[in-house]
Amino acid sequence: MNDLQKNDVPATNQVKQSVFIHENSGIRILFAGNSITKHSPRPEMGWLSDCGMAASDIDHDYVHLLLEKIREYDKNMAWAIAQVGEYETNLLNGAKPADRYSEAADFNADIIIMFYGANTPKEYDTMEKAPRTFGSAYEEMRCFLDKSSKSKVIHCQGFYLRPRLEAEKQAICDKYGDTWVSLGNIGTRKDTHGRFNHPNDLGMQIIADSIWKRLQELIKEILF
């Protein structure tokens, strides 16, 4: 299990920019995530793709698997990614959402999918007196991205086992009456792990399917 939990992908400079927007006239979906959501090519470490790590190609990362399903309901959907790896890494040092993610807030999403936490420094898990809690930083990002206080927000269990982070995430989910998505035992299954100990195509499919069970309900509420 310990080997499956090793995340040695550098948390900084995972992408060339922090926000990616694909504008259109339909329902508006925002993904807030880290390297599993999007990682730009980094040849020096052997990663040549520009998609969620470590899908075999862009069509097999969880974001694009979900986009295909959403298009069945709305071919004109707009979507965006807020790649928050830098925020995770620096949240104990006082990082603020406005430092990098104002464009994501201005996107004014109907649905926000939050799937991150793994780049939070590992020492946080055992800190007795952290300078700032992950939960408070996570809540700040949630409210910042929900600029108009109208978004439906999904919080997804992490791919790695970080019980303290998960408890704090779930507390924020409960506080705002948001939607929680469980990934079950995905973090301990060898068959879901690929390169860099990130989800392979099977792992990405399980993530997408798990989110879709709840996301589909929210899309129907908005469109119908």
Side-chain angles (χ1 to χ4, degrees), residues 17 19 21 25 35 53-54 58 62-66 69 80 90 101-102 110 115 119 124 154 158 161 187 203 206:
Q17 62 195 68
V19 180
I21 295 176
S25 59
S35 57
M53 186 180 276
I58 196 168
Y62 86 91
V63 170
H64 290 82
L65 291 171
L66 284 172
K69 291 179 178 293
N90 294 297
Y101 306 103
S102 292
D110 296 306
F115 179 35
N119 291 313
Y124 175 74
I154 291 174
L161 302 181
I206 292 172

Side-chain angles (χ1 to χ4, degrees), residues 106-172:
D106 292 340
F107 180 72
N108 199 25
D110 296 306
I111 298 174
I112 301 169
I113 300 168
M114 298 181 67
F115 179 35
Y116 68 88
N119 291 313
T120 303
K122 284 289 291 183
E123 58 264 28
Y124 175 74
D125 294 357
T126 54
M127 276 186 181
E128 292 187 10
K129 295 182 179 180
R132 182 191 194 191
T133 67
F134 170 80
S136 64
Y138 187 82
E139 179 178 15
E140 189 173 354
M141 179 65 80
R142 181 234 177 267
C143 295
F144 180 79
L145 295 177
D146 183 16
K147 186 175 181 179
S148 60
S149 300
K150 73 171 184 63
S151 303
K152 297 181 182 298
V153 183
I154 291 174
H155 307 267
C156 189
Q157 173 192 335
F159 185 68
Y160 302 98
L161 302 181
R162 304 283 297 271
R164 182 173 180 178
L165 302 188
E166 296 306 319
E168 293 181 14
K169 284 164 62 173
Q170 193 148 19
I172 299 305

